Amino acid sequence: MNSAAVTPAAKVMPWADALAGLSIAGLLLPEAVAYSGIAKLPPQAGVIALFAGLACYGAIGRSRFAIVSATSSSAAVLAAATLALSNGDVAQRLLLATVLVSLTGLCFLVAALARLGAFSNVIAKPVLRGYAFGLALVIAVGQLPGLLGISAQHGQFASLLLELGRRVGDWQSASLFTGVAALIGLFVLERIRALPGPLLVIVAGIALSTWLGARGVALTGPIALALQMPSLQLPAAAQWMPLAGLSAALMLILYAESYGSIRTYALKHGDEVAVNRDLAALGIANLVSGLFHGMPVGAGYSATSANEAAGAGSRLAGLCALAVVLALVLLFLPWIERIPRPVLAAIVIHAVSKSLRPAVFRPYLQWRRDRLVALAAVLAVIAFGVLNGLLIAIAFSLLMLLRTLATPRLCVLGRLHGGHDFVDVARHPEAEQLAGCLILRPEEPLFFANAEPMLAQARAKVARHADAAVVILSLEESPDLDSTALEALGDFSRWLSARGQALRVTRLKDAARDLLLRAALPQLSPEELNYWSVEDAAQATVAAPAQKS
């Protein structure tokens, strides 16, 4: 599914992409190491994922701004999924992570081949925003032990906060000072776009690492980046089904996040969105990352927005960032291993802080729509974890939609004086109802959950208009009808026939008309299904008595 471009992509000089790549490399490398900690994996897992994402998407993807690397959300989901299936076995968790990331890549590729580019729309925007807020809160709290220099026993949000509160005496002042100073530096430096803030904070942390280490501040430690041949050990047979479900859920999360980032900047710059091509690019990137024991990757909003802000104009910026990161790893890996852990925790907290802005919920409060859905997503993530929380939030949003659609709302239509428009008489008392007929319009599509109660309301309104010889039912809100709605219409038709009243159906969509023609309801001949407007049906109602006289 492609969306047409509004304006052609701007031409940029290669040096602008090179500068953008140099600028964001200072952000990507420390984030990759930090996100490995969120996933409970060795630091090299995030670095491998960074290489795989930048290389594969740069070669295959379409967006000129997207930066594909490990993301905080996917790291948190990966940690929750592998911890749940491994029963605390570290080796088993590493194996499951490799399989899960690889399966996620395969799910992306299957979705690309099936051209399922729009499937991420099953997650409503309020769910995504609430989930992102709750997830950012969970991730930020999860970084507090690293910031405070302690090893926590609990991982759940509430339990972790209670544990940190009870262990105030164990907090290491040097670690806390380092983390807070790094966090302040990141927030101050982000206001100066010309400076790579995370890189400067990292350099400062490395420069002080010996002094900080002597005072008990933990350092990143060894990062093993020895190139290995791709390998994929198979898990136990009983683990395949949960892994398949988790990989599908992880793919959905990654693509919803990636598509949001890609689409935002494509609309801003008038670029095309090649959805299925991006699905394939993300699939190959995750498959490569998984085979080399890396983390899941996606186009995170923070890295993508940083790339655009740095002046990137093509995918060359991501490839330049890849070259810079590779040079940093090859030349400065011993120094990267000396990054203080509180600095990494500060980088993660700073990265997710963009999602901790209550202003994102202001439209829902202003519109008075989906407030409960967004709040439920936040609470579900906090109470049930990052994976179960998302599934619960999606289920809740679908239940709220079903509740809205299943609530029958039926209005009576009347004609505005001097015109041909038919409107709800409850909202427009000046509208006149036509003599001898009752015009009804369901305000939701007729389907199994509301067809019976909707037509029960219709019977009640017909009973109050005994003088109506004809009932006109406007089905403009129903693009199609299921079998329950069809049976309910048949019962309503027979009920009217027994009362000596005629039924006319107007404003039918093609699919609904075809179904009613196949059903051949007694009162609805093919001619009675060809009223394209309420006006047509009303004129036929007026003309019928005149023809009889």
Side-chain angles (χ1 to χ4, degrees):
M1 181 185 71
N2 292 347
S3 62
V6 180
T7 60
K11 292 183 178 180
V12 293
M13 297 298 292
W15 61 265
D17 286 322
L19 289 176
L22 179 63
S23 176
I24 63 171
L27 167 69
L28 295 177
L29 185 56
E31 279 193 351
V33 176
Y35 292 160
S36 300
I38 297 177
K40 311 298 182 187
L41 293 175
Q44 60 266 25
V47 180
I48 291 170
L50 178 59
F51 287 147
L54 291 176
C56 294
Y57 191 86
I60 303 168
R62 183 57 181 259
S63 170
R64 57 195 176 111
F65 300 109
I67 292 296
V68 174
S69 61
T71 67
S72 58
S73 58
S74 63
V77 172
L78 183 67
T82 54
L83 287 172
L85 293 175
S86 64
N87 296 320
D89 187 328
V90 176
Q92 181 72 0
R93 184 162 53 77
L94 294 175
L95 167 64
L96 292 173
T98 297
V99 175
L100 185 55
V101 177
S102 301
L103 285 177
T104 300
L106 291 176
C107 286
F108 269 114
L109 291 175
V110 170
L113 290 173
R115 304 190 68 80
L116 299 178
F119 76 103
S120 65
N121 294 328
V122 300
I123 307 182
K125 286 289 180 64
V127 172
L128 278 178
R129 292 199 171 103
Y131 175 76
F133 187 92
L135 181 62
L137 201 57
V138 169
I139 291 173
V141 170
Q143 295 304 303
L144 292 180
L147 203 71
L148 300 172
I150 63 176
S151 178
Q153 304 300 318
H154 298 90
Q156 293 296 326
F157 183 84
S159 302
L160 179 57
L161 283 179
L162 289 174
E163 180 184 353
L164 294 178
R166 289 195 303 267
R167 297 178 58 187
V168 172
D170 296 335
W171 293 7
Q172 294 187 16
S173 57
S175 182
L176 177 59
F177 174 81
T178 302
V180 171
L183 199 55
I184 293 173
L186 289 167
F187 279 110
V188 170
L189 290 171
E190 75 175 357
R191 300 177 179 275
I192 310 173
R193 291 195 171 186
L195 296 178
L199 181 59
L200 294 178
V201 170
I202 287 289
V203 169
I206 294 173
L208 295 172
S209 60
T210 302
W211 184 80
L212 292 172
R215 283 154 181 79
V217 177
L219 305 181
T220 298
I223 301 176
L225 283 178
L227 185 62
Q228 300 176 353
M229 292 298 293
S231 62
L232 184 62
Q233 294 178 277
L234 299 181
Q239 294 176 320
W240 278 108
M241 283 302 293
L243 280 171
L246 290 168
S247 64
L250 184 55
M251 177 201 65
L252 192 62
I253 294 168
L254 280 169
Y255 190 63
E257 181 179 22
S258 301
Y259 182 61
S261 303
I262 291 170
R263 185 174 180 273
T264 295
Y265 288 100
L267 291 175
K268 181 178 179 180
H269 294 273
D271 295 343
E272 292 184 355
V273 180
V275 181
N276 292 299
R277 177 171 168 174
D278 284 336
L279 275 173
L282 290 170
I284 293 174
N286 277 282
L287 187 58
V288 170
S289 180
L291 291 176
F292 284 97
H293 311 292
M295 293 169 56
V297 294
Y301 187 82
S302 61
T304 300
S305 61
N307 190 36
E308 189 257 0
S314 74
R315 296 195 306 277
L316 182 61
L319 295 175
C320 290
L322 172 63
V324 174
V325 171
L326 181 60
L328 290 174
V329 169
L330 292 176
L331 300 176
F332 302 104
L333 186 59
W335 294 104
I336 296 172
E337 294 173 349
R338 298 189 61 79
I339 300 174
R341 287 190 179 274
V343 173
L344 292 178
I347 288 173
V348 172
I349 294 173
H350 176 261
V352 301
S353 67
K354 307 291 189 303
S355 299
L356 285 173
R357 294 173 180 172
V360 298
F361 302 118
R362 185 180 301 144
Y364 307 123
L365 298 174
Q366 180 181 346
W367 301 335
R368 299 182 183 177
R369 287 291 184 273
D370 297 322
R371 294 165 293 181
L372 285 178
V373 173
L375 178 61
V378 175
L379 297 178
V381 175
I382 292 175
F384 300 103
V386 294
L387 186 57
N388 292 333
L390 177 65
L391 299 178
I392 291 170
I394 293 173
F396 183 77
S397 70
L398 295 177
L399 284 174
M400 293 296 288
L401 173 63
L402 188 61
R403 174 177 175 268
T404 300
L405 294 177
T407 303
R409 292 187 300 159
L410 186 72
C411 64
V412 177
L413 302 184
R415 176 187 280 157
L416 289 174
H417 181 69
H420 298 284
D421 293 332
F422 287 83
V423 295
D424 183 2
V425 297
R427 297 180 67 91
H428 300 272
E430 70 276 13
E432 298 177 355
Q433 297 186 54
L434 300 187
C437 75
L438 176 65
I439 306 172
L440 302 175
R441 182 182 67 197
E443 294 296 282
E444 287 87 21
L446 278 183
F447 72 116
F448 66 89
N450 68 6
E452 291 289 352
M454 188 81 76
L455 292 175
Q457 276 194 24
R459 291 188 184 93
K461 292 183 183 296
V462 170
R464 292 196 293 268
H465 293 78
D467 58 334
V470 176
V471 175
I472 298 174
L473 190 62
S474 177
L475 291 182
E476 61 201 78
E477 299 295 335
S478 300
D480 201 353
L481 299 169
D482 60 21
S483 57
T484 303
L486 187 61
E487 290 183 22
L489 279 174
D491 293 341
F492 184 60
S493 172
R494 286 187 287 272
W495 180 78
L496 288 174
S497 182
R499 292 170 56 89
Q501 294 171 296
L503 173 64
R504 287 184 178 141
V505 181
T506 184
R507 303 202 69 180
L508 281 168
K509 302 293 192 294
D510 289 340
R513 179 183 290 103
D514 293 343
L515 179 60
L516 287 171
L517 286 172
R518 291 195 298 271
L521 299 180
Q523 271 196 299
L524 294 176
S525 63
E527 293 77 15
E528 296 292 340
L529 301 177
N530 289 329
Y531 297 111
W532 300 104
S533 68
V534 175
E535 177 69 25
D536 292 340
Q539 287 179 356
T541 300
V542 174
Q547 291 173 358
K548 290 181 180 180
S549 62

